Structures are given as C-alpha cells and as structure tokens.
Amino acid sequence: MTRRIVILALTAVAALAVSADRIGAQANPAGAAVQPFKPSDIKWVRNAAGTQETAVLFGDPTKAEPYVMRLKWLPGNMSRPHSHPNDRHFVVISGTWWLGSGEKYDPASTVAAGPGTYVYHKANGIHYDGAKSEEVVIQVWGMGPNTNTPAPGAK
C-alpha cells in the first residue's frame, strides 16, 4: 500500500511539474492547492507563418485531454473557414476578435467580440475569425486533440 501511495504522489508531482513548465512558472507562493501564473510567466511560441503566437497553459492540446491555451492573433491575421471536431470555449482578453460563420469567407461581415466576451464554438461548426487592425489575445479551453479542418467548400 505504501509503495502505491508513493507512486501516486510522484505521478501527481510530475504532472504538476509538466504543467508548470509549459508556462514557465518558477515558485508557487500560494501553496500546492493553487497555482497562479503571471502574464510574465507565459511562454509564447510564434507559428511558422509569423501570424499568431500560442501559449499552452494546461494540458496537451495534441492529446485527448482537457487543455487551456492563449492565442495571440497579430494584426491582419484572419483564418479561412474551418471547423474543429470538439467544442471550444473562448474569452477575449484584449483587443477585438472578429467572428464569422459559414463556408463563404467574408471578413467585412464579421462580428466584433471585445475584451471579456465569451465565445462558444460548436463542434464541427464552420467558422472563421481573427484580428483586423490590432493584436488580439484570447483564451481557449476544450478537449483535445485540437485539430483544424478546412471547410470543404470554402470560398
């Protein structure tokens, strides 16, 4: 029984260390039950196209598990119509995020979502979104794997 408890404890510590390492946390002054992370602790990674930055805060979005990420859309970056296989939940942290639905790509018809706005993307719902004239930071959480499928008849 003691060996089992030690193994469980080590597994829990390893999981916490992996989550903390993802966003660069150092010490945890709040104790083991709470893990605060300051914006300065977050490690942003720019995509290959140079149009967006991502920071994984919790979990692994490539696996079938819950995850939390922040996305930083750079000005002028709009996605083309696409869908995701799982529901996704967003909160706009800063800037104005522009949202559109359907296979027809029409940035002029997008709807503005400002700071504090909650946005729900339904699984398999075709949409497009992004930043127009300013940087936008959004937080997304959902169940992985986090994949992106281009809309079949996107125009």
Side-chain angles (χ1 to χ4, degrees):
M1 181 67 108
T2 304
R3 182 175 180 208
R4 187 175 194 193
I5 291 171
V6 169
I7 290 172
L8 287 173
L10 289 174
T11 302
V13 169
L16 286 173
V18 167
S19 291
D21 182 56
R22 286 196 192 279
I23 59 176
Q26 300 301 319
N28 184 7
V34 180
Q35 281 190 288
F37 299 104
K38 298 175 188 165
S40 60
D41 294 333
I42 296 173
K43 291 182 183 177
W44 292 96
V45 177
R46 190 170 290 232
N47 68 356
T51 57
Q52 184 174 335
E53 295 181 11
T54 304
V56 176
L57 304 178
F58 177 82
D60 184 342
T62 67
K63 296 181 180 174
E65 65 184 43
Y67 66 87
V68 179
M69 299 187 316
R70 287 205 181 159
L71 303 174
K72 187 183 294 182
W73 291 79
L74 302 179
N77 180 27
M78 294 286 290
S79 66
R80 296 295 181 178
H82 64 280
S83 65
H84 308 280
N86 302 318
D87 290 345
R88 294 171 49 151
H89 306 269
F90 299 83
V91 171
V92 180
I93 295 175
S94 65
T96 301
W97 192 32
W98 296 89
L99 313 168
S101 292
E103 292 182 2
K104 183 181 178 204
Y105 179 66
D106 183 12
S109 70
T110 54
V111 175
T117 303
Y118 166 76
V119 178
Y120 169 59
H121 280 181
K122 289 174 141 180
N124 301 309
I126 298 173
H127 62 278
Y128 51 96
D129 42 37
K132 289 187 178 180
S133 61
E134 64 183 329
E135 178 181 283
V136 180
V137 177
I138 57 175
Q139 185 157 307
V140 56
W141 59 98
M143 179 64 75
N146 175 26
T147 59
N148 183 340
T149 303
K155 303 174 189 93

